[in-house]
Amino acid sequence: MPETQTHTGGCGCGATRYQLTGTPIFINNCHCKQCQQQTGSTSVVNAFYESESIQLTSGTLTEHGFKSGSGGQHIICRCASCGSALFSYYPRFGRLGAGVRVGTLDDSAAFKPDAVVHAAERMPWVALPSDIPAFDVYYNPKELLPPDRFARFMALYAKASAS
């Protein structure tokens, strides 16, 4: 049986810490304009987990809602002390799954994106890596994700759709 993976991360000031258990369903490097505005950067890398895999171990979060590209509610969870964005809930999965900001992980280099998404909106001087598939908008998860992770994606999607 494979060893359970555990990763830890936290905010910029150290007041808020979290732990992840297991492996992400998928990891995206998103270059959409909304991610640029919300991070103040060129893109964001999110590792998507089932919410029960994320445990807050210290600190307090605040939640900030934004209208997503699909029109649904995108909630960013931030450290209440310093405002660092730690993870988000997206309309597709509601509160059943969250996108963890990979840059807040203690070992962020261990997380390589499965795909670059919304590449058409990237800043013109941003070069994309040749070893990661890039999509102008998004991709078909069934065509990109390994079967076990696609099954988790579909289970989470079905659960969210039934809520």
Side-chain angles (χ1 to χ4, degrees), residues 48-112:
F48 288 82
Y49 282 83
E50 294 89 346
S51 292
E52 63 265 12
S53 297
I54 306 166
Q55 179 185 3
L56 193 65
T57 57
S58 67
T60 306
L61 298 174
T62 59
E63 294 187 358
H64 305 267
F66 299 89
K67 187 175 179 180
S68 73
S70 68
Q73 187 75 344
H74 169 186
I75 309 261
I76 299 176
C77 298
R78 298 178 178 273
C79 169
S81 297
C82 70
S84 294
L86 300 172
F87 58 89
S88 287
Y89 296 112
Y90 293 88
R92 177 186 288 179
F93 298 122
R95 294 206 176 241
L96 299 172
V100 176
R101 299 293 194 276
V102 169
T104 67
L105 287 158
D106 296 335
D107 184 14
S108 56
F111 289 73
K112 180 180 177 182

Side-chain angles (χ1 to χ4, degrees), residues 133-152:
F135 300 88
D136 280 348
V137 180
Y138 210 76
Y139 57 90
N140 180 342
K142 185 175 184 172
E143 293 173 1
L144 186 70
L145 299 177
D148 61 321
R149 292 195 287 146
F150 179 67
R152 289 171 56 206

